[in-house]
Amino acid sequence: GQQVMQIPQYQHVQEGEDFTTYCNSSTTLSNIQWYKQRPGGHPVFLIQLVKSGEVKKQKRLTFQFGEAKKNSSLHITATQTTDVGTYFCAGPNQAGTALIFGKGTTLSVSS
Amino acid sequence: NAGVMQNPRHLVRRRGQEARLRCSPMKGHSHVYWYRQLPEEGLKFMVYLQKENIIDESGMPKERFSAEFPKEGPSILRIQQVVRGDSAAYFCASSPVGQGAGGTEAFFGQGTRLTVV
């Protein structure tokens, strides 16, 4: 079945270092979405990418959608302690009835 | 505009009891999704409902689990005869349109943490 994979599963950085998480889908996606879940919290939408090769920025966060629309990445520049949490990518299933989530990358930041 | 409301936030049930989880979508949203999350796991899709209709229940176990989204009132995820393996966080999400044809942001509730003892 359709799978969405993310690496790494965990990443620990010192405050100020950069962080990147990678997302790969077993199928071509019409769009990819990124969510952040703080510890004990619920997933919160960050962004949606639709076009092949699309790059979007939100302050220190840069999101990229691959040319083949099967992979994506999230890069955080100069991490802060507020960036702590789990970052999930998600894409629609083939039927377009649900989002299929990766297992997420959990980021911890030490000051 | 209130967000997606789920209740209860925490639910403890003994093995064999029933668990009822409620979800009120955002105002104007007719598309509701239920997800299950185990510790340090991703979100596993369970069921997708669109006002009174179950559109996709491919992620929901065939036995003991059921979902509904009545014309009036919240969506309900019902788990009968709970077992320890049902312990998890259950999240509901809603969206104004479906995930087909371009997709759309899903708004998540704060979840119900179910513990089966």
Side-chain angles (χ1 to χ4, degrees):
Chain A
Q2 182 182 359
Q3 290 187 331
V4 176
M5 295 147 287
Q6 280 186 258
I7 56 169
Q9 188 173 358
Y10 301 97
Q11 182 80 57
H12 177 80
V13 298
Q14 295 287 321
E15 191 172 22
E17 292 182 335
D18 292 356
F19 159 76
T20 304
T21 172
Y22 300 91
C23 176
N24 283 284
S25 169
S26 59
T27 60
T28 301
L29 299 171
S30 61
N31 72 94
I32 195 156
Q33 300 178 27
W34 285 90
Y35 290 78
K36 177 183 179 181
Q37 184 177 23
R38 293 183 188 276
H42 61 283
V44 174
F45 175 83
L46 294 176
I47 208 159
Q48 180 186 29
L49 303 168
V50 178
K51 298 177 183 176
S52 169
E54 188 171 15
V55 177
K56 285 189 176 180
K57 292 191 175 185
Q58 288 180 350
K59 297 182 180 177
R60 293 178 296 104
L61 278 61
T62 301
F63 303 84
Q64 188 166 13
F65 200 9
E67 294 290 339
K69 301 183 77 173
K70 293 182 72 173
N71 61 289
S72 181
S73 64
L74 158 59
H75 180 81
I76 302 178
T77 303
T79 55
Q80 300 175 358
T81 54
T82 53
D83 295 325
V84 163
T86 301
Y87 293 85
F88 294 99
C89 62
N93 62 4
Q94 298 282 61
T97 54
L99 286 172
I100 304 301
F101 282 78
K103 288 194 172 183
T105 296
T106 298
L107 172 65
S108 56
V109 180
S110 53
S111 55
Chain B
N1 188 5
V4 178
M5 304 299 291
Q6 287 189 252
N7 68 82
R9 293 286 305 278
H10 299 274
L11 182 61
V12 179
R13 284 287 176 266
R14 296 187 184 278
R15 280 177 294 170
Q17 290 185 320
E18 178 179 288
R20 281 193 178 221
L21 287 60
R22 295 174 190 77
C23 169
S24 294
M26 284 185 70
K27 188 176 180 181
H29 288 192
S30 60
H31 300 258
V32 167
Y33 313 82
W34 285 92
Y35 286 84
R36 182 161 99 166
Q37 186 176 41
L38 292 167
E40 301 192 1
E41 290 280 324
L43 295 140
K44 297 277 193 204
F45 166 73
M46 297 181 74
V47 60
Y48 163 45
L49 308 102
Q50 187 186 356
K51 264 310 180 189
E52 299 184 82
N53 296 307
I54 296 176
I55 307 300
D56 182 352
E57 56 182 348
S58 59
M60 198 158 66
K62 293 281 188 289
E63 297 180 357
R64 303 190 298 108
F65 286 72
S66 62
E68 62 178 19
F69 189 12
K71 188 176 180 181
E72 302 291 337
S75 175
I76 306 284
L77 179 68
R78 182 181 176 205
I79 311 172
Q80 295 178 291
Q81 299 174 327
V82 295
V83 300
R84 288 228 171 101
D86 296 332
S87 296
Y90 292 83
F91 288 96
C92 166
S94 74
S95 60
V97 297
Q99 290 298 335
T104 184
E105 172 183 355
F107 295 80
F108 281 82
Q110 295 195 327
T112 294
R113 272 75 177 173
L114 172 66
T115 303
V116 180
V117 297

